[in-house]
Amino acid sequence: MDTLLCNAVEFFELDLDIYNNIFKNSPRIIENIQNFKNTISTFEKLSEDIYLSLFKKNIDLEPIEKINPVYWLNYTIIKKLQEIDEFEDLKESCSLNFFKSILATDLLGQELIKNFKELSMNNKAFSAKLDSHEKYIKEYEEKKEAEDKKVLEAIKNNIWNNVKDIDKYIIDYNLLYTSVSEALKNFLATFKTIAIWGFDDNRLTPTSYEEKIEVSAKLRTLRKVRDISEMAGRFKESASELQRKKVKEEGLEICGVELGDEIHKVLPSEKLFLVKESTKKCFYKKLSQKELLSYKYKNNRTKSKGPIICCVDTSGSMEGELEVWSKSIAISLLDIAIKQKREFVAIMFSNKVYKVLEFTKHRIEPNKLYELATFFYGSGTNFIEPLEKSIELISSARYKYADIVFITDGKAYIDPEFVEKFNQVKEKKEFRMITVNVADEIEEGLNELNDIQILLSALTDEEIEEANNILFAI
């Protein structure tokens, strides 16, 4: 006799590799699944089936005759999910994307259990059916090797009839539709936050997944942060357009090989994976994780750009709208740095330096980005400390080719001796300093230090191009 199956959806072993890495190694998800099994004991396999239904482009359900009776309730739920339009919308967003499929599975599982528990608490008959289901599948497990086949058939009939009764409650109370609708809403909101803040890099380890979910949840709750993300989006769009224009104008040449997901850069040897059906999944897996061998290009006219050191004023006068503007500019510059694989440092200051946030050139780090978006100290203004810290960083090997962007609204005393010392170092190290004045009033003291001072109005009015060329083409 063939071994009965635990999953409703047909799949290959490879299909669950990434899923298992996250769901079996994340402490939060492990704890959730254990708790969810108190409501539906077969939830672990149900979660796998939900993931497979969302991730796979086309799915086939196994014949129910091949499914272990213990998992008939799972089978019924999965079959019903395919009939819901909102589930198809969710699937369309998630198909062949590991991160999105895992996120949607995580959210839908939570909603299903929440609604099952609520109905069970408010409807004693439904609760009794769930209890009977657990009793019958336990009985089946105990007697599945019994010689008396009539006894086993009777238990299987009890399971099936009970599943049909549970299904009636699911239909009558619109339980699946409600769960999917809420999960879809939460998925779209969560992924929008993840995408806006640059977390959608397909890095998938249990730690990186949990960090993204935790930070995106925090970011969604703060009004100030929502304003910053909206404003940063506008700046990023302008900056991206400038970068595309520059790349188009300046020739590129192949300088090596790197890992990536841009199809037009992929090596022919990698595209051979698409020839055979058996290796297509390997190609898509590497594509989703940005691990395809690709040509690396370099600008053949100019040398690569160095790191960006961004000093952000968080003194008391910056509170409110000016903070939103300053953080938006800083986050847009970080976005440029990540895309161009450049180091980025944010120096948060007011009356002194309070935080130095160093970002690697390979990816956005959610917790550090959250600090950049939310940290605010208040108090007075001191220009010298952040600039001294900038010089210290530029004097190190890691940041020796950096430029400084100094974002402030204020005025502060600058010692003439410091001005002389700073300019000597600037000339020796050959770095630039751009000041962005969000108060729209030229600060003459900074003009003794910077190469150019840009007013906020120049970044926001219709004559934006020249100012953007200076700032976002840094």
Side-chain angles (χ1 to χ4, degrees):
M1 179 181 172
D2 293 336
T3 304
L4 294 172
L5 303 172
C6 303
N7 290 94
V9 180
E10 285 186 7
F11 70 98
F12 296 100
E13 203 68 35
L14 182 66
D15 292 332
L16 286 174
D17 273 2
I18 303 294
Y19 171 90
N20 286 333
N21 185 37
I22 303 300
F23 273 66
K24 294 187 177 179
N25 291 291
S26 163
R28 176 187 65 83
I29 292 176
I30 291 170
E31 184 179 355
N32 277 353
I33 287 176
Q34 289 307 312
N35 291 333
F36 294 169
K37 285 163 78 171
N38 292 329
T39 304
I40 301 176
S41 63
T42 54
F43 180 82
E44 193 166 353
K45 291 298 177 185
L46 176 60
S47 180
E48 289 179 4
D49 279 329
I50 292 171
Y51 171 79
L52 292 167
S53 297
L54 293 169
F55 177 74
K56 290 170 71 71
K57 193 76 175 171
N58 300 300
I59 70 158
D60 292 308
L61 294 183
E62 299 281 3
I64 195 164
E65 296 79 15
K66 293 175 68 176
I67 304 297
N68 186 322
V70 169
Y71 299 97
W72 281 349
L73 178 58
N74 287 6
Y75 186 94
T76 302
I77 292 171
I78 292 299
K79 191 173 181 181
K80 294 286 184 186
L81 283 174
Q82 315 303 318
E83 300 167 6
I84 299 172
D85 289 342
E86 283 73 8
F87 188 80
E88 279 304 307
D89 293 340
L90 198 56
K91 181 179 178 65
E92 191 174 332
S93 294
C94 297
S95 182
L96 299 178
N97 186 296
F98 292 107
F99 181 83
K100 288 182 177 180
S101 299
I102 285 169
L103 173 61
T105 302
D106 190 3
L107 294 172
L108 180 52
Q110 293 176 48
E111 289 300 324
L112 276 172
I113 293 301
K114 182 184 80 173
N115 289 321
F116 262 78
K117 286 176 75 173
E118 283 181 4
L119 183 56
S120 181
M121 288 172 65
N122 297 323
N123 189 307
K124 290 183 179 178
F126 178 69
S127 180
K129 289 295 177 185
L130 289 181
D131 289 342
S132 296
H133 180 257
E134 296 304 320
K135 173 189 162 189
Y136 291 143
I137 62 176
K138 185 178 179 182
E139 194 175 355
Y140 175 83
E141 290 284 23
E142 290 173 351
K143 298 186 178 179
K144 62 184 177 183
E145 304 298 336
E147 292 183 8
D148 190 341
K149 300 304 177 186
K150 289 183 180 179
V151 172
L152 199 57
E153 284 302 313
I155 297 171
K156 287 166 67 176
N157 285 334
N158 287 339
I159 293 174
W160 182 243
N161 290 331
N162 198 66
V163 165
K164 288 195 291 185
D165 290 341
I166 292 173
D167 186 37
K168 287 177 186 175
Y169 283 101
I170 290 172
I171 295 168
D172 290 345
Y173 287 89
N174 238 355
L175 197 149
L176 293 185
Y177 174 79
T178 304
S179 301
V180 173
S181 298
E182 192 62 26
L184 177 61
K185 185 174 79 174
N186 290 339
F187 169 83
L188 293 174
T190 301
F191 194 76
K192 181 182 177 183
T193 304
I194 287 169
I196 285 173
W197 290 92
F199 302 163
D200 54 335
D201 57 4
N202 280 309
R203 285 180 64 86
L204 267 178
T205 65
T207 303
S208 68
Y209 175 75
E210 288 301 329
E211 186 183 12
K212 289 172 185 177
I213 300 306
E214 180 186 348
V215 173
S216 63
K218 289 180 186 176
L219 289 169
R220 283 170 60 196
T221 61
L222 298 174
R223 172 61 188 272
K224 173 178 77 174
V225 172
R226 291 200 299 272
D227 291 343
I228 290 170
S229 68
E230 183 179 336
M231 193 63 64
R234 296 182 203 170
F235 281 129
K236 285 180 184 179
E237 187 177 342
S238 176
S240 294
E241 181 60 35
L242 274 170
Q243 297 303 317
R244 283 194 294 270
K245 184 178 177 183
K246 284 180 73 63
V247 168
K248 193 173 181 180
E249 290 172 351
E250 299 170 349
L252 297 175
E253 64 181 23
I254 296 170
C255 64
V257 174
E258 63 182 351
L259 298 178
D261 67 341
E262 296 177 77
I263 296 296
H264 65 285
K265 293 182 181 179
V266 172
L267 267 61
S269 59
E270 293 286 58
K271 292 178 182 177
L272 288 174
F273 282 109
L274 292 170
V275 174
K276 293 184 179 180
E277 200 66 37
S278 59
T279 56
K280 273 186 181 180
K281 288 184 174 64
C282 185
F283 178 88
Y284 290 125
K285 181 179 178 181
K286 292 172 80 173
L287 174 67
S288 298
Q289 295 181 286
K290 298 186 178 182
E291 290 182 350
L292 289 168
L293 285 173
S294 310
Y295 290 117
K296 184 177 182 180
Y297 292 88
K298 72 174 181 179
N299 188 311
N300 63 13
R301 289 193 187 178
T302 59
K303 66 178 183 179
S304 60
K305 297 176 179 180
I308 299 173
I309 297 173
C310 186
C311 301
V312 184
D313 187 347
T314 66
S315 61
S317 59
M318 291 286 288
E319 190 169 9
E321 187 178 357
L322 295 185
E323 183 195 0
V324 171
W325 282 109
S326 65
K327 300 285 184 66
S328 301
I329 294 166
I331 288 165
S332 300
L333 290 169
L334 170 60
D335 186 63
I336 290 170
I338 296 294
K339 285 176 179 173
Q340 296 182 347
K341 293 183 170 55
R342 299 161 69 184
E343 308 282 359
F344 182 93
V345 185
I347 298 175
M348 318 297 284
F349 72 94
S350 57
N351 61 330
K352 66 175 186 177
V353 171
Y354 283 94
K355 281 187 182 292
V356 178
L357 303 172
E358 298 184 67
F359 293 82
T360 69
K361 58 186 175 184
H362 304 294
R363 68 181 183 98
I364 293 281
E365 296 166 271
N367 281 319
K368 288 183 182 178
L369 182 55
Y370 179 77
E371 284 192 83
L372 172 56
T374 59
F375 177 79
F376 190 85
Y377 188 79
S379 190
T381 310
N382 177 340
F383 289 161
I384 294 176
E385 274 207 31
L387 290 173
E388 284 181 332
K389 184 63 183 176
S390 299
I391 291 173
E392 180 188 324
L393 289 167
I394 291 171
S395 297
S396 68
R398 183 175 179 183
Y399 300 109
K400 66 190 247 180
Y401 298 116
D403 288 316
I404 301 170
V405 177
F406 198 85
I407 308 173
T408 183
D409 75 325
K411 299 179 183 293
Y413 174 72
I414 305 175
D415 190 308
E417 288 184 16
F418 176 77
V419 172
E420 184 179 354
K421 174 189 168 187
F422 182 86
N423 285 324
Q424 285 174 354
V425 175
K426 184 150 79 91
E427 185 177 352
K428 182 181 176 183
K429 301 286 185 183
E430 298 182 335
F431 64 82
R432 290 181 299 163
M433 174 176 164
I434 298 173
T435 296
V436 180
N437 196 320
V438 293
D440 262 0
E441 183 179 341
I442 291 292
E443 168 54 42
E444 295 299 340
L446 285 170
N447 272 348
E448 295 183 41
L449 301 170
N450 56 225
D451 293 86
I452 189 167
Q453 188 166 168
I454 301 172
L455 296 180
L456 178 62
S457 58
L459 290 173
T460 57
D461 64 21
E462 292 179 1
E463 304 300 322
I464 194 172
E465 188 169 353
E466 184 180 350
N468 275 351
N469 267 310
I470 295 167
L471 179 61
F472 294 126
I474 185 171

